[in-house]
DNA sequence: ACACATATATGTTAATATCATATACCTAAT
DNA sequence: ATTAGGTATATGATATTAACATATATGTGT
């Protein structure tokens, strides 16, 4: 049973935007200047409406650092475990722009579908 | 190098809506009553703006038939190879409605991001 | 001593998208 | 004749991702 929409598919996913969390992270880092992973977790849910798997988040952050969209450094934390603090890089900012363009296109596709769907329903009602 | 946006990621994908082709197929079948796979290929590109991999399309159609969102029958074709003609089922129509709701939500997420992105650029300009 | 929130990270697995390839029919040109 | 090209359906291989589980460790409150 599909988790996203409750449909009869045995899939776990439907309608997710692939790797959407990456531009969301970059946008948050652009606004907040620097954040640690656990803080991003909450920020993403509040600010971006993204529910994020914690394991997925940390792995994504390591991946993003590997390709130099973000950089990180360890900071001591008296109130708990030490934190790795992330900052966006120039490459990250460039990618954010590209991603925003790409997602604008995704948005157009979505609207084409949703308009088509509403249009169909409208026609059915007038029959 | 990412095909979708040209970014430095080694990924093949970014910004794709997962299994978006399924509701698109169902919408087309709702409007056209019945179509064969090869016809859907062209219809999806024109009507839905979806570029579809042909292998992916046929595999998706078989999957959708297995879970009974569509049904098919073979039709003879004098002008070429025989065709499997697909029709949407009641379950398929129900799923289309659910998918449309789910995608409306996806759309909201996207807008939240895009608004946030534009907002950030606006603030940067006024600095 | 124990539970709990904070904080980071890895192992495993199923599903998906992409690319390549295979098969077969019909028409038109060489 | 046979080759090329459009139509039509389908499968094999592979990389990537998302989801879920689990591990580790620190500080606070009971």
């Amino acid at each position: 049973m599909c988790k996203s929409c409750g449909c009869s598919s045995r899939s776990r996913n439907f309608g997710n935007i692939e790797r959407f969390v990456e531009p969301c992270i970059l946008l948050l880092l652009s606004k907040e200047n620097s954040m640690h992973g656990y803080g991003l977790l909450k920020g993403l849910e509040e600010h971006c409406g993204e529910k994020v798997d914690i394991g997925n988040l940390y792995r994504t952050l390591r991946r993003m650092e590997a390709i130099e969209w973000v950089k990180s450094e360890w900071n001591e934390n008296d109130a708990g475990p030490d934190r790795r603090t992330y900052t966006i890089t120039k490459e990250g900012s460039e990618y954010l722009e590209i991603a925003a363009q790409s997602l604008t296109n995704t948005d157009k596709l979505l609207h084409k579908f949703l308009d088509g769907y509403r249009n169909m329903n409208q026609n059915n009602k007038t029959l």
Side-chain angles (χ1 to χ4, degrees), chain A:
Chain A
M1 230 262 285
C2 175
K3 297 280 174 59
S4 304
C5 67
C7 71
S8 61
S9 169
R10 81 281 70 151
S11 170
R12 291 167 298 159
N13 285 322
F14 165 76
N16 286 4
I17 300 166
E18 216 169 329
R19 290 174 53 204
F20 185 49
V21 75
E22 295 179 26
C24 287
I25 288 168
L26 293 174
L27 182 56
L28 263 186
L29 289 179
S30 293
K31 292 192 172 185
E32 299 290 329
N33 194 39
S34 81
M35 284 180 97
H36 59 282
Y38 200 79
L40 280 165
L41 184 73
K42 276 113 199 281
L44 287 166
E45 279 165 21
E46 274 175 56
H47 196 269
C48 302
E50 265 260 286
K51 52 158 186 43
V52 187
D53 176 77
I54 183 79
N56 195 18
L57 177 62
Y58 283 114
R59 198 133 32 185
T60 300
L61 283 168
R62 299 333 326 279
R63 208 194 325 155
M64 288 171 77
E65 182 157 29
I67 55 178
E68 292 180 310
W69 290 348
V70 296
K71 57 187 194 316
S72 74
E73 55 178 21
W74 281 101
N75 286 112
E76 284 182 39
N77 177 22
D78 293 336
D82 286 356
R83 294 186 283 214
R84 197 192 276 274
T85 303
Y86 287 93
T87 316
I88 191 168
T89 64
K90 191 170 167 291
E91 286 82 16
S93 295
E94 284 166 8
Y95 171 72
L96 176 57
E97 199 185 323
I98 292 166
Q101 280 170 21
S102 181
L103 289 171
T104 302
N105 197 54
T106 304
D107 186 51
K108 274 180 198 154
L109 272 188
L110 251 180
H111 274 268
K112 207 163 183 174
F113 169 82
L114 290 171
D115 288 347
Y117 177 73
R118 283 168 200 140
N119 201 270
M120 181 199 69
N121 279 346
Q122 201 59 39
N123 288 347
N124 283 0
K125 273 178 194 164
T126 55
L127 286 180

